[in-house]
Amino acid sequence: MFKFIVRRIIQTIPVIIGVTIIVFSMMHLVPGDPAQIMAGESAPAQQVENIRERLGLNEPLPKQYLSYLGNALLGDLGNSMRSGRAVTDEISARFWVTIELAIYSTILAVFIGLIAGVISATKKYSPQDTIIMLIALFGLSMPNFWLGLMLIQWFSIGIDLPNWFPFINDTSWFKPSGWGSFQQIVLPVITLGTGSAAIIARMTRSSMLEVIGQDYIRTARAKGIKERIVIYRHALKNALIPVVTVVGLQFGGLLGGAVLTETVFAINGMGKLVIDSIAARDFPVVQGTILVIALLFVLVNLFVDITYRLLNKRIDLD
Amino acid sequence: MKNNTSKEYENILEINHLQTSFFTKNAEIKAVDGLSFTIPKKKTLGVVGESGSGKSITSLSIMRLIDNPGKIVGGEIYFKGEDLLQKSESEMRKIRGNEISMIFQEPMTSLNPTLTVGQQISESYITHQELSKKEAKQKSLEMLKLVGIPSPKKRLKQYPHELSGGMRQRIMIAMALACDPDLLIADEPTTALDVTIQAQILDLINELQDRLGMGVLLITHDLGIVAETCDYVAVMYGGQVMEFADVKSLFTHPKHPYTVGLMKSIPPHDRDVEGDLDVIKGSVPSPVEMPNGCRFAPRCPFATDLCHQKLPNIETDSYGNQIRCWIYSDEWDGDPEVNVHAKTTEGTT
Amino acid sequence: MQKQQKELLKVTELKQYFPIKGGILGKTINYVKAVDGISFTIYEGETLSIVGESGCGKSTTGRAILRLDEPTSGKVEFKGEDLLSYSKKKMNQERKNMQIIFQDPYASINPRQTVRQILNEALEIQNVVPKKERNQRVIELLETVGLGEHQLDRYPHEFSGGQRQRIGIARALSVNPELIVADEAVSALDVSIQAQVINLLKKLQREFQLTYLFISHDLGVVRHISDRIIVMYLGKIVEIADKKSLFKNPKHPYTKALLSAIPSTDVEKEKQRIILGGDVPSPINPPSGCRFHTRCPFATELCKTEEPKLRRMDMMKEGHQAACHFIETVEANEKQPIL
């Protein structure tokens, strides 16, 4: 197991190098002179030249990359064009907001997805199964920015809601924007988690159905143990193995989905930072944020692989 | 805990006219169709048949583990004098793994890959004898010793994939025998194993049967295994028992043309067969289009119009041996001197 | 008898090792020694069988001969030409002389092709029959294996297991091969169907002077179909003999145990059964010396250190060889089995 983890970590190194190359070349893939674009079309030549000088854009490309990589390793991702603050500071101020959003959404998605998937599988072809799978299909096909807007419309500002919750003093149940309080968190988490919940539900259902057809489930039933134990102890544990992979991939997807959700709910996270920086042509910030998100993605995948390995006893042989 | 107050009974298992069908949108597939046999206390019954004969469905019917779209549609299954088909699901659960246990063909896939051997055996004790985890573990260890597993303490903590096929089948046996059942159903327990390992496992089952005094229902396609390990045999074809007899009678004087044909088509390893093997022509009928008369009539070299039109009844002789064939009835309309042992090959392909 | 026969295929010191990857960098850390230096000859027109339990290397041998997996080392001579020295292209052409039939015919035929297409394709690839005559040839082939012209345009799933195996045989026959490797070809079939296919294989051998390498774990089938038999254990040949000699006078303790382990339908004969303890060891680190010593009731210190060679004793029939240090002792049964 230890060997596996070490090997898996070593394997991520080329991936990380690849990510940095892609992020680095983004600036050079933009048509035209990056310095001119950053400065704006009508900027005086001297200002463009200053930018070029400051960012080292007149050096040869490999050298630029190496110094970028070296700085990145030391935790220096450059300074924001807009605020002049270090990119790392800009990101760290918003990092946890996005992580919180993604984690809460994942928890919601796993919770709902697993329960729905298990019910669907154990009651195959029943009305419950049909309804759950229809809802899942709907959840899967809704774009999350649209769902976000609808939720705001229905549960926040659009209609007068009856005052069911004594602890909420506002006229609306939830707040349409911001992050931090319970009232602010609920809607974005639902917005971001719904699609994943649907995918996890479908995956759990098909995985459970496959496992329930296995010989060892028949063995468990022939032992006379209760159906509930057959499902949760014998079937679910095996069915989770492929689901874990999907959850991991979904978490990565949520980081990307956060860009839209944060914009819709005006949450000051990394996603919104990217959008705002693109609009302001703040390239160092865009680069830095994307690099951080990509690294997170790699880390999550590493974590998923290790979990997968722990769950799946059969591949632990070598 | 076991219910020891049940009625007096002679046979550990007695099945009468069992019918198990599978329902598709527009058809009823009769997988088991009017099956009857008995297993006396502490005896072994071998059920032989080719694929599609309904032998595995029979065993799952006894356990009442037939899943949708299958259903037991008729008959009686008396276990220790009580009809299992009248039991509720929770009563059945107390019987499964406790009074009737089962081992399956594929030791590779019949154990749960994510639970340790110890966890899987303990489960039986925890469920049926309400033992604590620790007590259950101790009992599991004793069970592993009983089935002859080397270094049993270590095995308890291992996962099934760490063990060989023969070891896994021993684990299955340990699990099945944990609660000292009165009936063990073994569905092709050695088919997936090599012959030298098969010999070990059959030996073990025989030895434990003597020691624990249980009845055994052994399902197999291998007549050799039946001859060496069983007291009685039921030969199944098309969801019915064609012939039921004690082992010695069946192997020395097989009566049903199917039994005879089956025996002749197996090349023996202990003597030479000159020329071609005798074959049963045609192929096993699909359960969707079962013949109306005798199930075996389309392949039977002796079949007459009567055989094709009418299902023969079960005839029982004075020894209790049974046969379902028109040749042995008063209504037989073919050659009265017919010899079912005559060479029957018609063309070799 | 074999002396006058012509050698068709000669295998010398054939080895097939499969690498095991592992470690931090995924290097090859060890090998599965599936076949570890075996030599034998197949004569024209005979049926040579290889028997043994799972993991003994019998199927690997069949695949290595046809170069379906490239052997690690050794020599495979077909009519005097070394197949292992052929280029891939030349080998493909040479395959029209040697065909293989598998256990599961369904896995080896394209489920989306009709029988006509399957057989036509085989004829086309090896180009043995002119285009105009192909259709006629396909019908002939089908009739040869006991199927009818009316079944030509059906798909594999419309046939039963036995019929599919017949299609597999027809395809193998289509190119007029001299050698057919049958890898557990009848093992998955029900006994009543198995007998039909065995009879068919024997009939075809008579009609087309075929040579069979018949790989099976079923000793009854092997006894019926073979002329000579090889017994393998853990990648090595432990005994080789003609059928009569092997079944009447097995010399190697493993062969003896194997034969005695098969349940017999003869209820009147009392039987002495040798039950071997333990499992077959792993072919990754096979036991030293004689590979069977861990389970052999007769094993001594010598068996643990020195590997026995295949040899023939005076009391053994011509062509009968066994790889055991103690053929005489085992024969005389001087030592009591330690069980």
Side-chain angles (χ1 to χ4, degrees), chain B residues 51 164 194 196 200 228 280, chain C residues 53-54 190 196 273 276 279:
Chain B
S51 51
S164 69
D194 281 320
T196 59
Q200 295 172 359
E228 291 202 351
I280 302 172
Chain C
E53 300 179 281
S54 48
D190 272 320
Q196 296 171 358
R273 177 180 279 176
L276 291 178
D279 278 316

Side-chain angles (χ1 to χ4, degrees), chain C residues 66-279:
Chain C
L66 296 187
R67 284 178 62 187
L68 296 177
D69 299 314
E70 287 296 329
T72 311
S73 71
K75 239 172 159 181
V76 179
E77 288 160 285
F78 186 76
K79 291 181 162 178
E81 301 269 335
D82 187 4
L83 295 179
L84 302 189
S85 66
Y86 283 0
S87 68
K88 279 244 158 69
K89 200 177 153 204
K90 182 118 192 269
M91 186 62 211
N92 277 337
Q93 286 166 357
E94 198 56 35
R95 287 215 180 94
K96 72 166 175 281
N97 290 323
M98 48 194 89
Q99 289 284 309
I100 186 163
I101 316 169
F102 296 101
Q103 172 171 7
D104 178 9
Y106 203 56
S108 57
I109 49 187
N110 184 344
R112 284 178 195 79
Q113 283 186 327
T114 62
V115 176
R116 186 197 296 275
Q117 287 165 331
I118 291 167
L119 295 178
N120 250 323
E121 192 181 76
L123 290 173
E124 206 176 289
I125 290 169
Q126 293 292 357
N127 202 16
V128 277
V129 182
K131 212 167 183 180
K132 276 187 219 151
E133 293 162 32
R134 267 186 208 149
N135 203 27
Q136 190 51 42
R137 174 83 178 128
V138 166
I139 296 169
E140 262 174 44
L141 277 169
L142 221 52
E143 282 168 356
T144 312
V145 297
L147 296 172
E149 198 181 334
H150 62 283
Q151 287 160 320
L152 257 182
D153 292 305
R154 295 196 191 162
Y155 288 91
H157 70 259
E158 298 175 67
F159 292 91
S160 67
Q163 288 172 322
R164 266 181 234 145
Q165 195 54 287
R166 286 168 193 266
I167 296 169
I169 294 171
R171 186 177 60 174
L173 281 181
S174 65
V175 294
N176 295 322
E178 291 174 67
L179 174 72
I180 290 184
V181 177
D183 187 358
E184 299 277 9
V186 298
S187 303
L189 305 174
D190 272 320
V191 279
S192 70
I193 308 302
Q194 174 178 291
Q196 296 171 358
V197 176
I198 292 171
N199 284 349
L200 172 66
L201 287 172
K202 288 194 91 168
K203 185 191 90 167
L204 296 173
Q205 181 167 39
R206 287 193 299 269
E207 272 174 34
F208 302 104
Q209 287 84 46
L210 294 169
T211 306
Y212 289 141
L213 177 62
F214 194 86
I215 297 162
S216 176
H217 70 278
D218 185 330
L219 282 139
V221 173
V222 163
R223 177 168 194 159
H224 185 70
I225 207 164
S226 325
D227 298 308
R228 289 191 305 132
I229 296 165
I230 289 173
V231 182
M232 282 184 77
Y233 185 79
L234 269 181
K236 293 270 186 195
I237 294 179
V238 296
E239 188 157 3
I240 179 165
D242 70 82
K243 169 170 71 182
K244 279 223 166 71
S245 193
L246 188 93
F247 279 95
K248 294 258 157 68
N249 292 304
K251 293 291 180 240
H252 198 284
Y254 176 65
T255 315
K256 282 177 187 264
L258 196 63
L259 289 177
S260 84
I262 312 165
S264 160
T265 53
D266 193 341
V267 284
E268 285 170 329
K269 199 164 70 186
E270 269 300 305
K271 217 175 108 173
Q272 276 289 77
R273 177 180 279 176
I274 309 165
I275 293 190
L276 291 178
D279 278 316

